[in-house]
Structure formats: C-alpha cells, structure tokens
Amino acid sequence: MGQETCIFCKIVNGEIPSATIYEDEFCRVILDIAPMAKGHAILLVKKHYPDLFAIDPDTASGVLCAAAKVGEAMKKALSCDGINLLQNNGPAAGQTVFHLHFHLIPRWNGDGLSLGGPQGSYAEGEAAKIAEQIRSCME
Ligand code: 5GP
Ligand code: ZN
C-alpha cells in the first residue's frame, strides 16, 4: 500500500481523527479502534515503514522510549498489572495494516486474555542448529 492511501499515515498526519494519547517527533500513540482490552493502544511510527525491517536506529530508539513512557502512564491510569508490547510483521504474523506500529495491551492478573503461550519444544541439538542458521544470516 502506498503512503497516499495508507490509513495510518492519514492518522499520523491528523487527516483522520484518532483518540491520541501521546505524540512526539517519532510517533503518535492512539487507542486501537478494535481493542483487545480497554486501553489497548497502538504506537504509529511517523515515517511510513511497511514493517520493522527498514527502521533506522534513531527512530527505533525514539519509539522504544515513547513506548516505555506511554506504558508507564497506562499502568497508572488503568491500574493494570502488566503490558504486552506486540509488533506484527507480515500477514503470517497477523499484520493487517502495513505501516509500522506497536501494540501496547494492558493486562490484569487473571484477565484470561490469550495471546498464545509457550508451545512445543526442541529436540536434542535442534535449538543450537536453528540459532546457528539465524546467526549465519546476520550482517
Ligand atoms: P496489526 O494486526 O496490523 O498489527 O494491527 C492493526 C491494528 O490497527 C488492529 O488492532 C486494528 O484494530 C487497528 N486499526 C485498524 N484501522 C484503524 C483505525 O482506523 N483507527 C484505529 N484507531 N485503529 C485501527
Ligand atoms: Zn503509512
């Protein structure tokens, strides 16, 4: 999707209204329109990156600091016990809007919300092999 038609670019630019919680030079943080929990926020990176893989170091640093700042405020405001910071890349991972964003999902003890837990296990030597495969593709 091009930037001209990107819904998150329009929200970032203020062309489409949103329930904004926070804004700085790197991001705008808004409430998700279809929340997984009340207070579920999405941090929209201001630059149009389709996913995480093209992010620049300044933006990466800026948005992580912003996520921490907003997360602290969410804990106070919502009296939540924890927060999931999630980020989906590609349809296989559940990404539906192809403009880089991070989910901040408030969690309460025993809320029952399922984001998928630990599953499966590795056979003997398999973890070392997969780790080596990934390491060998790093530049
Ligand atoms: P993804 O699945 O791509 O990681 O997440 C996209 C998120 O954006 C979804 O949780 C969806 O509810 C949210 N979303 C999509 N369109 C809009 C919109 O127009 N406004 C707001 N506030 N959230 C949106
Ligand atoms: Zn965009």
Side-chain angles (χ1 to χ4, degrees):
M1 181 186 280
Q3 284 173 245
E4 319 75 41
T5 51
C6 172
I7 190 156
F8 282 0
C9 278
K10 291 191 168 126
I11 292 174
V12 160
N13 297 334
E15 288 169 57
I16 293 177
S18 62
T20 294
I21 296 168
Y22 174 79
E23 185 174 6
D24 65 20
E25 64 182 296
F26 299 108
C27 63
R28 182 195 280 263
V29 184
I30 67 173
L31 286 186
D32 195 293
I33 203 166
M36 294 181 73
K38 292 282 165 71
H40 173 178
I42 40 179
L43 181 158
L44 312 183
V45 175
K46 283 199 168 170
K47 289 184 193 162
H48 178 93
Y49 294 129
D51 53 33
L52 183 66
F53 306 120
I55 199 168
D56 64 274
D58 279 354
T59 303
S61 163
V63 299
L64 198 55
C65 290
K69 193 170 188 162
V70 172
E72 277 294 329
M74 285 172 68
K75 283 200 286 182
K76 281 189 204 148
L78 304 170
S79 299
C80 54
D81 302 306
I83 291 181
N84 289 114
L85 180 64
L86 296 183
Q87 196 272 315
N88 301 326
N89 295 289
Q95 185 178 11
T96 58
V97 181
F98 297 90
H99 174 127
L100 179 58
H101 58 280
F102 297 76
H103 297 260
L104 287 143
I105 304 165
R107 302 298 305 274
W108 292 267
N109 292 329
D111 64 16
L113 185 63
S114 174
L115 302 173
Q119 286 173 29
S121 60
Y122 291 110
E124 179 77 30
E126 194 184 10
K129 192 172 159 199
I130 293 172
E132 171 52 26
Q133 280 172 337
I134 299 170
R135 265 200 309 273
S136 71
C137 288
M138 291 183 74
E139 300 187 347

